[in-house]
Amino acid sequence: MDVEPRDKGILLEPFVHQVGGHSCVLRFNETTLCKPLVPREHQFYETLPAEMRKFTPQYKGVVSVSFEEDEDRNLCLIAHPLKGDHGTVDSVDNSDCEPKSKLLRWTNKKHHVLETDKTSKDWVRQHRKEEKAKSHKLEEEFEWLKKSEVLYYSVEKKGNVSSQLKHYNPWSMKCHQQQLQRMKENAKHRNQYKFILLENLTSRYEVPCVLDLKMGTRQHGDDASEEKAANQIRKCQQSTSAVIGVRVCGMQVYQAGSGQLMFMNKYHGRKLSVQGFKEALFQFFHNGRYLRRELLGPVLRKLTELKGVLERQESYRFYSSSLLIIYDGKERPEVALDSDAEDLEDLSEESADESAGAYAYKPIGTSSVDVRMIDFAHTTCRLYGEDSVVHEGQDAGYIFGLQSLIDIVTEISEESGE
């Protein structure tokens, strides 16, 4: 369906594959996401070195995001082109977007409280009390999420696993609700926000398995307050960040063999020992029945290539940046060598399960796995000019974390070899 973004705007939906971070990440369309614009991150994407582009999401521009209501007074977030910018939204493929005329009711209704003769002060007081209770309930739900650090859900194999994932990912939905609540509370003072558009790295996977790794031995930026810096230093010292330069920030895995979805959040990631980190990595590449060994070689090659790229970057520091590893949890069976190739198209998961002796579960063709750097709000480089601290040489902490990751994945690969 054609969309008229300039007149109607584009409805933004929650991004269901977010496994880490608190920033509000929204789905612009199937291949594009958007997140609040942070000046330094925007500057990074507009000036990043050419050889780093293959290891970062494609930057697609900036839009203006505002709260708007549908005819039933349901609050929604709508993206519009920036004033005077007629190309930003139109330059992105909008064929998959939801037009404003098809607003989804994914927030509570917003009630206008008017001090009139028909509206008693008691009603107003009660209404405000109910709104406050809703806010407290959201905080309680988020506290529960912190305690539920690792969750497993059984899914229906016969159903659409991808659609079920949308209902299960707790971190994505709770973080989104919390961020939306903050924006709603500030709406009286501000209703226009700038968001950057970025490539949706999960769009080419049917059931994305996502690992979010916080990289480096230091997480606080040069502009951090003493309290913020102390807090980040403590988190690094109490986690694997200080020892190996990397820690788990979030994980989403579909284990096709057991029919389970597994989610791990950053609170659990901080508690892991180095051995626990290695076990978490093993779990990420395990499908519930066996290790997806065919993914390890491509991951190692990309990590090694990225390490070489960063070793050539002078003065950059990627404080608080994350590294994403993504692959498809939906495996397709490969027919036996003596079978007709046409059988492959008709082979369902159920028939493959019944014919375990005749079929092997292996991806067809080259395994697709992605490795990308994200989150650059605290990145610094001498090219930016305005920073109070200018660093020399490589980002040793980030590179140390990459080497640790390479070593651990190599160990997993060697230990699992026949």
Side-chain angles (χ1 to χ4, degrees):
M1 179 174 59
D2 292 333
V3 179
E4 299 175 14
R6 188 166 299 146
D7 297 328
K8 297 182 178 180
I10 292 170
L11 174 68
L12 302 177
E13 302 174 13
F15 175 55
V16 299
H17 300 304
Q18 180 181 358
V19 299
H22 286 288
S23 183
C24 181
V25 180
L26 298 165
R27 180 186 181 277
F28 183 84
N29 63 19
E30 182 65 26
T31 59
T32 307
L33 303 176
C34 62
K35 60 183 292 192
L37 184 150
V38 176
R40 175 46 51 89
E41 183 168 45
H42 184 220
Q43 185 176 21
F44 169 80
Y45 277 114
E46 293 210 316
T47 62
L48 85 165
E51 63 178 341
M52 285 190 65
R53 288 175 186 160
K54 67 182 295 185
F55 292 106
T56 59
Q58 180 188 357
Y59 167 68
K60 300 186 178 185
V62 181
V63 292
S64 176
V65 174
S66 63
F67 282 103
E68 297 186 22
E69 295 179 343
D70 64 6
E71 62 276 8
D72 295 322
R73 289 185 174 177
N74 292 297
L75 273 179
C76 297
L77 290 175
I78 307 297
H80 295 276
L82 291 175
K83 290 183 178 180
D85 182 358
H86 300 297
T88 303
V89 175
D90 289 338
S91 64
V92 180
D93 179 11
N94 298 311
S95 59
D96 184 64
C97 298
E98 291 287 357
K100 181 182 169 184
S101 58
K102 277 190 65 180
L103 295 183
L104 300 181
R105 295 168 176 79
W106 50 277
T107 61
N108 293 325
K109 289 186 178 181
K110 175 184 176 183
H111 299 281
H112 291 284
V113 182
L114 303 175
E115 297 283 358
T116 65
D117 294 337
K118 294 182 180 179
T119 306
S120 67
K121 291 184 179 180
D122 289 340
W123 186 92
V124 173
R125 197 176 295 113
Q126 179 63 26
H127 173 79
R128 288 173 178 166
K129 186 177 180 180
E130 290 174 357
E131 289 296 306
K132 191 174 183 180
K134 289 178 184 178
S135 179
H136 283 311
K137 184 178 180 182
L138 184 62
E139 291 176 5
E140 289 173 1
E141 288 178 348
F142 199 75
E143 286 301 317
W144 171 84
L145 176 63
K146 287 182 181 180
K147 297 174 183 177
S148 306
E149 297 172 352
V150 181
L151 297 173
Y152 289 86
Y153 295 101
S154 294
V155 299
E156 295 289 336
K157 284 190 176 183
K158 294 182 180 180
N160 186 320
V161 178
S162 182
S163 64
Q164 293 181 66
L165 192 63
K166 296 179 181 180
H167 300 290
Y168 285 129
N169 188 336
W171 187 259
S172 168
M173 300 311 296
K174 290 296 187 293
C175 285
H176 177 80
Q177 290 174 23
Q178 189 182 55
Q179 180 70 28
L180 186 63
Q181 184 69 29
R182 287 196 293 264
M183 294 174 71
K184 284 171 66 176
E185 291 170 355
N186 198 40
K188 292 181 180 178
H189 310 287
R190 180 184 178 191
N191 191 37
Q192 293 290 329
Y193 296 82
K194 286 184 179 180
F195 277 55
I196 58 173
L197 297 174
L198 297 171
E199 173 188 5
N200 177 5
L201 300 173
T202 69
S203 63
R204 61 194 179 102
Y205 301 104
E206 187 172 344
V207 185
C209 293
V210 184
L211 177 63
D212 186 327
L213 299 170
K214 187 70 73 173
M215 300 299 296
T217 53
R218 167 181 162 175
Q219 301 302 323
H220 63 281
D222 292 322
D223 59 345
S225 64
E226 288 187 15
E227 181 181 2
K228 178 72 172 179
N231 186 41
Q232 294 293 349
I233 291 171
R234 177 181 55 81
K235 289 177 183 177
C236 287
Q237 291 175 339
Q238 296 177 354
S239 69
T240 55
S241 293
V243 184
I244 57 175
V246 56
R247 70 173 184 259
V248 173
C249 192
M251 186 193 302
Q252 166 184 295
V253 184
Y254 172 57
Q255 299 175 334
S258 60
Q260 286 189 317
L261 286 168
M262 188 275 279
F263 300 95
M264 180 185 295
N265 67 27
K266 66 179 184 181
Y267 302 107
H268 186 76
R270 289 178 193 163
K271 297 176 181 178
L272 295 175
S273 62
V274 174
Q275 180 60 30
F277 177 87
K278 180 178 177 180
E279 292 170 358
L281 221 59
F282 180 89
Q283 191 173 25
F284 176 67
F285 291 111
H286 203 281
N287 75 345
R289 189 182 304 166
Y290 56 82
L291 187 70
R292 296 281 302 274
R293 295 185 68 246
E294 80 282 356
L295 298 171
L296 303 182
V299 167
L300 285 171
R301 285 192 291 274
K302 292 189 177 185
L303 290 174
T304 302
E305 184 181 357
L306 174 59
K307 180 172 174 282
V309 169
L310 294 188
E311 286 173 341
R312 294 189 289 273
Q313 305 312 310
E314 169 67 25
S315 182
Y316 274 98
R317 295 295 181 275
F318 303 100
Y319 298 134
S320 200
S321 177
S322 283
L323 187 71
L324 293 183
I325 300 178
I326 311 169
Y327 70 89
D328 204 333
K330 182 72 171 180
E331 295 179 79
R332 294 178 60 191
E334 184 180 81
V335 293
L337 293 177
D338 57 350
S339 300
D340 191 335
E342 293 180 359
D343 292 343
L344 185 60
E345 297 180 3
D346 301 323
L347 186 61
S348 65
E349 287 188 7
E350 292 73 28
S351 63
D353 286 338
E354 295 168 0
S355 309
Y359 299 98
Y361 273 83
K362 295 180 182 178
I364 298 169
T366 303
S367 298
S368 176
V369 61
D370 210 352
V371 174
R372 305 286 187 105
M373 297 173 68
I374 61 167
D375 297 338
F376 302 100
H378 301 288
T379 292
T380 182
C381 176
R382 72 152 61 96
L383 299 175
Y384 299 154
E386 66 271 21
D387 291 352
S388 58
V389 180
V390 177
H391 299 272
E392 300 291 335
Q394 312 162 341
D395 187 340
Y398 197 113
I399 293 171
F400 172 61
L402 276 177
Q403 185 59 56
S404 297
L405 196 55
I406 291 169
D407 293 342
I408 293 173
V409 174
T410 299
E411 287 177 15
I412 292 173
S413 180
E414 292 175 348
E415 290 170 4
S416 65
E418 298 180 359

